[in-house]
């Protein structure tokens, strides 16, 4: 029996229906039409689903009796008849006050309403109090004023404390804020009435700040200690202390004492309120304490700068005798106060100790700044050595390392920065002495460096460079984790600093250059025996030293040629060793590639320097560069070697051409050499076939230069040789590759062979050149028909047609005008008739298609 789709009952009111009803006689529901049919179909589907569920009831009963422990999983699993609706919120997600699920707030929350109301109420009360004082103050007596103000302030404060004890925090915050505001209005009224005497300015600010801080403290003490403190009293205490401190600082000249007491007072307050749920007060007072300490430090630095600007300078008596350095020394001691407040925590201890030790180092070394530059640098060097030793001892003690390491590294870093500035100054002076010897190739080999004049006070002595560098290396070894690199590079750094020291004296230039070059060669020789990254690093440093020695030797042509000759020999040796050894590893391949790229450039520089030393003409210097560079590119046939050879040729050849007496002949020779070398590389190496194109262009350019120099104006002399080579290459390609197209293989050469001559013939149609060009076009057409190639047929037919039309042009100009007009009319008539016939055919086709069914 159907449960839902019952035709005898109304689907809405379940009333009995007559036979074939149109509407329900009880509720008037329409029972005909598409919607009624769809409803009946849906109800029948519901009956079917209900029958299937009843049939599965037996299976579910058997499955549920197998184990009681699986009952929960059956209900929660996919076999449950009515699984719990996961899309409905549980009771925990409902707000009991709102009666709806708690989700992301899209408007006012339930807790924001009292905050807004109480904030507005507090504002209104404060505004009312101000208006009351402005309007009613003049007609109230002293007793009435006092009574009203005290009553309002006490009432607001008392209610705030009362609400704070009953967990009405928002109301308590509002009323406490009102009470504090009324208290400030009380003080303003008392000042206006003259009750505070002659207090004004900073003195009045001291009183206001003290009263505000005391009132905030009393409110905090009146509230229970086991609950979170109100924010308004804490802010009042912080603001009152800050205002009072600033005012006291302005009232007295003993700024050091005031700032010191402010820092100590702030630390004491922070220590007292720790763990008492007054986070705002603790952080606020800690922030003001840090501000007081910063003010003390800046005040001390300003006094030291003032002493430095005086005529006496930073002497011991000027700093300590008059007490000018005392504020900075006190700031160094007060930097340890947070440790006493927060305890010996790792981070706080390291930061505070680091700041304190840095300031202490500066205070101790301030008198040395009045000494000579060498004496001041020596003092900072001693400080660097001492702090390096301290950091080393701390690092070796495991129980100290975690807490004190960075506190020792901080003054070490400051000392290293000062020492590094002094060392960099000495290095800069050494570079100026070496690079300022003279212009390139302008001095002889015996030239000497200009000595550095070290005055009594102005410059650091050159002999300080070596100990400064050694101290910096030791500090780097102790403070940073790059110890292995420091140990491996220490010898090289010390050698360079010794060289920098030597360069500041009047020694021959060749001595400095020889030391640098020898060091580079030694490093390269040592690196060649070290596999892996260490060998690559050594090779890089050695190559850099050789490059530096080449630059330093430029003032003397003889010295530069000697150094560059050594560079060439070293690079050749590296390439030879790489050729005999394995090059499959990445470091060895990188070294080989860099050496191959450096060899053509080093050879070019050597040739130029040697030519300067031997007075060889500039016009002859590019030939050995071209020849040797091209041969290197052929032998090595690597991309970096070829690119370096091209770069060397491009750099040297323009200078040689500019100095040549016969520019066209020299250009032709250089182009011929370059073209021959490039073409030879393409013929020797199968993977360099593409170089045949630039090689051929270079050779063709050389030919064109010579032809232009000889006065040849015929275009065939310039184009036919290249065209014949291109055609020959195309025919060879067609012979080796039957699938190749003649358009891509023969068309460039045929166009180059015929089009320049055609352009010449257009200006002189009656000539031997025109006859030969026509014969060549005929041969191309016949040959193309014979071998069935499209490119010769296309070029021969097009060029021949243009040539025939050009030969016909003089006779066309002598044709009568009536003949041209008649020919044009005949052509237009034929076109018109053809057009009309095609329109008729189109209409017939359209009517035929229209009759199709």
């Amino acid at each position: 029996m159907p449960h839902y789709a019952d035709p005898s009952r109304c689907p809405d009111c379940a009333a009995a229906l007559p036979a074939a009803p149109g509407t329900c006689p009880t509720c008037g529901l329409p029972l005909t039409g598409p919607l009624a049919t769809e409803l009946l179909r849906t109800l029948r589907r519901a009956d079917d689903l209900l029958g299937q569920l009843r049939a599965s009831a037996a299976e579910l009963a058997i499955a549920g009796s197998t184990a009681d422990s699986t009952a929960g999983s059956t209900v929660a699993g996919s076999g449950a008849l009515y699984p719990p609706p996961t899309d409905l919120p549980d009771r925990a997600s409902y707000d009991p006050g709102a009666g709806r699920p708690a989700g992301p707030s899209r408007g006012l929350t339930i807790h924001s309403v009292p905050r807004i109301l109480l904030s507005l109420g507090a504002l209104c009360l404060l505004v009312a109090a101000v208006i009351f004082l402005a309007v009613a103050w003049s007609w109230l007596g002293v007793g009435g004023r006092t009574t009203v103000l005290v009553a309002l302030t006490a009432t607001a404060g008392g209610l705030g404390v009362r609400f704070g004890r009953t967990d009405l925090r928002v109301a308590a915050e509002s009323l406490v804020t009102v009470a504090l505001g009324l208290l400030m209005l009380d003080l303003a009224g008392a000042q206006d009435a003259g009750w505070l005497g002659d207090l004004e300015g900073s003195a009045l600010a001291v009183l206001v700040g003290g009263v505000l801080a005391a009132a905030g403290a009393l409110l905090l003490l009146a509230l229970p200690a086991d609950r979170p403190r109100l924010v308004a009293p804490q802010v009042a205490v912080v603001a009152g202390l800050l205002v009072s401190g600033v005012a006291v600082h302005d009232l007295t000249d003993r700024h050091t004492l005031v700032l010191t007491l402010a820092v100590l007072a702030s630390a004491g307050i922070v220590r007292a309120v720790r763990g008492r749920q007054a986070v705002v007060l603790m952080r606020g007072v800690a922030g003001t304490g840090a501000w007081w300490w910063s003010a003390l430090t800046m005040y001390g630095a300003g006094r030291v700068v003032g002493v430095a600007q005086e005529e006496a300078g930073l002497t011991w008596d000027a700093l300590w005798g008059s007490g000018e350095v005392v504020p900075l020394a006190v700031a160094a001691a007060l930097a340890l106060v947070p440790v006493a407040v927060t305890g010996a925590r790792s981070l706080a201890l390291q930061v505070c100790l680091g700041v304190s030790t840095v300031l202490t180092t500066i205070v101790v070394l301030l008198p040395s700044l009045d000494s000579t530059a060498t004496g001041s640098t020596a003092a900072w060097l001693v400080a660097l050595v001492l702090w390096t030793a301290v950091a080393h001892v701390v690092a070796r003690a495991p129980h100290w390392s975690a807490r004190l390491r960075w506190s020792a590294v901080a003054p070490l870093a400051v000392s290293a920065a000062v020492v590094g500035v002094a060392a960099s100054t000495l290095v800069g002076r050494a570079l100026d002495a070496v690079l300022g010897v003279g212009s390139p190739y302008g001095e002889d080999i015996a030239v000497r460096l200009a000595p550095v004049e070290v005055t009594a006070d102005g410059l650091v002595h050159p002999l300080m460079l070596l100990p400064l560098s050694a101290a910096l290396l030791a500090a780097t070894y102790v403070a940073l984790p790059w110890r292995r690199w420091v140990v491996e590079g220490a010898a090289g750094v010390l050698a360079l600093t010794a060289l920098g020291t030597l360069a500041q004296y009047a020694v021959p230039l060749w001595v400095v250059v020889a030391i640098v070059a020898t060091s580079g060669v030694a490093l390269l020789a040592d690196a060649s025996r070290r596999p892996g990254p260490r060998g690559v690093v050594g090779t890089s440093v050695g190559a850099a030293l050789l490059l530096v020695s080449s630059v330093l030797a430029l003032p003397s042509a003889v010295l530069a040629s000697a150094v560059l000759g050594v560079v060439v020999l070293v690079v050749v040796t590296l390439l030879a060793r790489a050729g005999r050894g394995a090059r499959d590893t990445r470091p060895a391949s990188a070294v080989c590639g860099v050496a191959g790229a450096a060899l053509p450039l080093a050879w070019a520089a050597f040739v130029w320097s040697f030519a300067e030393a031997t007075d060889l003409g500039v016009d002859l210097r590019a030939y050995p560069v071209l020849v040797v560079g091209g041969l290197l590119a052929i032998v090595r046939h690597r991309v970096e070697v070829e690119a370096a050879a091209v770069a060397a040729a491009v750099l040297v050849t323009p200078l040689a051409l500019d100095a040549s007496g016969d520019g066209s002949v020299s250009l032709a020779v250089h182009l011929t050499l370059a073209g021959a070398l490039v073409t030879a590389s393409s013929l020797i190496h199968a993977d360099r076939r593409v170089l045949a194109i630039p090689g051929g262009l270079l050779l063709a350019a050389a030919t064109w230069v010579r032809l232009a120099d000889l006065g040849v104006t015929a275009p065939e002399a310039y184009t036919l040789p290249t065209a014949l080579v291109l055609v020959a290459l195309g025919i060879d390609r067609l012979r080796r590759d039957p699938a190749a197209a003649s358009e891509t293989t023969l068309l460039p050469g045929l166009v180059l062979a015929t089009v320049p001559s055609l352009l010449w013939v257009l200006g002189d149609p009656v000539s031997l050149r025109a006859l030969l060009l026509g014969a060549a076009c005929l041969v191309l057409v016949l040959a193309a028909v014979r071998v069935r190639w499209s490119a010769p047929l296309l070029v021969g037919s097009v060029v021949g047609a243009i040539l025939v039309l050009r030969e016909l042009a003089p006779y066309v100009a002598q044709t009568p005008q009536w003949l041209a007009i008649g020919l044009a009319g005949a052509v237009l008539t034929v076109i018109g008739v053809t057009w009309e016939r095609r329109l008729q055919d189109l209409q017939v086709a359209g009517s035929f298609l229209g009759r199709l069914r």
Side-chain angles (χ1 to χ4, degrees):
M1 178 179 180
H3 183 77
Y4 294 106
D6 188 359
S8 63
R9 295 286 180 179
C10 175
D12 189 11
C13 65
L17 296 176
T23 58
C24 177
T26 303
C27 63
L29 181 70
L31 299 176
T32 58
L35 291 178
T37 305
E38 183 67 22
L39 177 61
L40 182 60
R41 186 182 299 113
T42 304
L43 294 176
R44 288 175 178 173
R45 176 60 179 165
D47 288 333
D48 293 339
L49 294 177
L50 182 60
Q52 295 176 12
L53 288 174
R54 287 172 178 170
S56 62
E59 298 177 2
L60 290 174
I62 295 174
S65 62
T66 55
D68 294 337
S69 61
T70 61
S73 61
T74 305
V75 173
S78 59
L81 289 178
Y82 288 99
T86 57
D87 56 339
L88 295 178
D90 54 5
R91 293 185 60 185
S93 64
Y94 281 90
D95 189 342
R100 59 179 177 83
S105 177
R106 297 180 179 270
L108 293 176
T109 62
I110 190 171
H111 299 289
S112 63
V113 175
R115 293 193 185 100
I116 296 174
L117 295 178
L118 290 171
S119 299
L120 291 176
L123 179 62
C124 292
L125 290 175
L126 290 176
V127 172
V130 173
I131 295 174
F132 169 76
L133 290 177
V135 174
W137 192 261
S138 59
W139 54 268
L140 282 176
V142 176
R145 299 170 189 171
T146 305
T147 302
V148 171
L149 290 175
V150 172
L152 290 176
T153 305
T155 301
L159 290 175
V161 173
R162 177 63 179 174
F163 290 150
R165 292 181 175 180
T166 56
D167 290 336
L168 298 177
R169 291 187 55 84
V170 179
E173 292 281 3
S174 301
L175 290 175
V176 166
T177 304
V178 171
L180 294 173
L182 289 173
L183 181 61
M184 294 297 100
L185 292 177
D186 294 345
L187 292 176
Q191 171 67 16
D192 185 70
W195 294 352
L196 301 181
D198 296 333
L199 289 179
E200 61 181 6
S202 298
L204 180 61
V206 172
L207 176 62
V208 173
V211 171
L212 183 61
L218 289 175
L219 289 172
L220 289 175
L221 293 175
L223 294 172
D226 57 344
R227 297 178 183 178
R229 302 289 184 174
L230 297 180
V231 176
Q234 299 180 61
V235 174
V237 173
V238 174
L241 292 176
L242 182 60
V243 171
S244 299
V246 173
V248 172
H249 182 272
D250 292 337
L251 287 175
T252 181
D253 294 334
R254 306 184 68 176
H255 301 305
T256 303
L257 178 61
V258 172
L259 294 173
T260 302
L261 292 177
V263 172
L264 295 176
S266 300
I269 294 173
V270 172
R271 180 70 177 178
V273 300
R274 284 188 64 194
R276 300 183 181 272
Q277 300 185 8
V279 179
V280 175
L281 177 60
M282 184 180 64
R283 293 180 178 177
V285 175
T288 56
W291 185 81
W292 292 123
W293 181 85
S294 301
L296 177 62
T297 305
M298 296 302 296
Y299 174 68
R303 293 185 62 173
V304 170
V305 172
V307 172
Q309 294 176 351
E310 295 178 357
E311 184 177 357
L314 295 173
T315 62
W316 185 271
D317 183 63
L319 290 172
W320 291 99
S322 59
E324 298 296 331
V325 79
V326 171
L328 208 57
V330 173
L334 291 178
L336 298 175
V337 170
V339 178
V341 175
T342 61
R345 295 181 180 179
S346 179
L347 180 60
L349 181 63
Q350 292 191 36
V351 172
C352 294
L353 281 178
V355 174
S356 180
T357 51
V358 167
L359 289 179
T360 302
T361 304
I362 294 174
V363 168
V364 172
L365 294 180
L366 276 176
S368 68
L369 298 179
D370 190 58
S371 179
T372 62
T374 302
S376 177
T377 303
W380 282 99
L381 176 61
V382 172
L384 177 60
V385 172
L386 290 177
W387 284 119
T388 302
V390 172
H392 180 65
V393 172
V394 170
R396 292 178 63 88
H399 58 286
W400 287 356
S401 179
R403 292 188 175 187
L404 302 178
R405 180 182 180 186
W406 294 109
S407 61
V409 170
L412 184 149
V414 174
S415 304
V418 178
V419 171
V421 170
S424 62
T425 303
L426 291 174
V427 172
R429 278 165 37 191
L431 291 176
D432 292 338
V434 173
L435 298 178
V437 173
S439 59
Y441 308 130
E443 305 292 339
D444 58 7
I445 193 173
V447 63
R448 290 178 174 268
L449 303 179
V452 177
E453 297 294 336
V454 181
T455 61
D457 299 329
L459 299 176
V460 182
H461 200 279
L463 294 178
M464 290 291 296
L465 181 57
L466 189 59
L468 291 177
S469 302
L472 288 174
L473 284 173
T476 305
Y477 177 84
V478 172
L480 298 178
W482 308 324
R483 296 187 174 184
R484 189 186 69 179
W485 297 102
V486 172
V487 172
E488 293 183 355
V493 173
L494 294 178
L496 289 178
T497 55
L499 181 62
T501 303
L502 182 64
Q504 300 182 55
Y505 292 92
V507 297
L509 178 62
W510 66 265
V511 174
V512 178
V513 173
I515 293 175
V516 176
T518 304
S519 301
V521 173
L523 281 175
L524 288 173
D526 180 70
S528 63
R529 297 190 297 268
R530 295 177 179 268
R534 293 188 178 183
V536 175
V537 173
T539 302
S540 303
V541 176
L545 291 178
L546 287 179
L547 179 61
V548 171
S549 65
S550 302
V551 175
L552 296 179
L554 284 178
S556 173
V558 176
L559 188 58
S561 60
V563 173
L564 289 169
V566 173
V567 172
V568 171
L569 291 177
V570 169
V571 174
V572 171
T573 304
L574 287 176
L575 291 175
R577 290 177 63 90
R580 291 195 301 268
R583 294 186 300 172
D584 52 349
T585 60
R586 183 176 299 178
S589 179
V591 171
C592 184
V594 173
L599 183 55
L601 297 174
W603 171 253
F606 168 73
V607 169
W608 198 271
S609 300
F610 184 79
E612 286 286 342
T614 57
D615 293 331
L616 183 65
V618 179
D619 57 331
L620 302 177
R621 298 179 184 180
Y623 295 126
V625 175
L626 281 174
V627 173
V628 175
L631 293 177
L632 287 174
I634 293 173
V635 172
R636 301 289 303 174
H637 71 280
R638 294 170 63 97
V639 176
E640 62 272 9
V641 179
E642 294 167 347
V646 172
V650 171
L651 291 174
V652 176
T653 302
L655 300 176
L657 294 177
D658 184 63
S660 176
D662 192 351
S664 60
V665 175
S666 179
L667 178 60
V669 175
H670 284 86
L671 289 174
T672 302
L673 282 175
L677 291 170
V678 173
T679 305
S681 179
S682 68
L683 295 175
I684 294 174
H685 305 292
D687 56 344
R688 294 293 189 270
R689 299 300 186 196
V690 70
L691 294 179
I693 298 175
L697 292 177
L698 289 172
L699 292 175
T703 305
W704 295 347
V705 170
R706 287 301 299 149
L707 291 174
D709 186 56
L710 295 175
V712 177
T713 58
E716 291 80 9
Y718 296 89
T719 59
L720 277 181
T722 304
L724 292 176
V725 172
L726 292 176
V727 171
L729 292 175
I731 294 174
D732 180 69
R733 172 68 183 281
L734 290 174
R735 181 181 60 81
R736 290 185 291 104
D737 186 7
S742 61
E743 291 85 354
T744 58
T745 55
L746 296 178
L747 191 59
L750 294 176
V751 170
L752 182 62
T754 56
V755 172
S757 300
L758 176 62
L759 297 176
W760 199 277
V761 167
L762 293 178
D764 186 15
V766 183
S767 61
L768 178 62
R769 180 179 284 105
L771 177 61
L772 295 176
L773 181 60
C777 291
L778 180 60
V779 171
L780 286 176
V781 172
L782 295 177
V785 173
R786 174 75 178 178
V787 298
R788 291 181 294 179
W789 288 349
S790 59
L793 180 62
L794 177 62
V795 173
S797 59
V798 172
V799 175
I802 295 174
L803 179 61
V804 169
L805 292 176
R806 180 62 185 89
E807 297 292 342
L808 183 61
Y811 303 100
V812 173
Q814 299 177 3
T815 303
Q817 295 183 355
W818 62 268
L819 181 59
I821 295 172
L823 181 61
V827 171
L828 292 175
T829 301
V830 172
I831 294 174
V833 171
T834 304
W835 188 285
E836 185 177 6
R837 175 60 61 85
R838 296 297 178 265
L839 287 177
Q840 291 179 357
D841 295 342
L842 184 60
Q843 292 175 356
V844 171
S847 61
F848 176 75
L849 292 175
R851 292 193 298 268
L852 293 176
R853 295 187 61 183

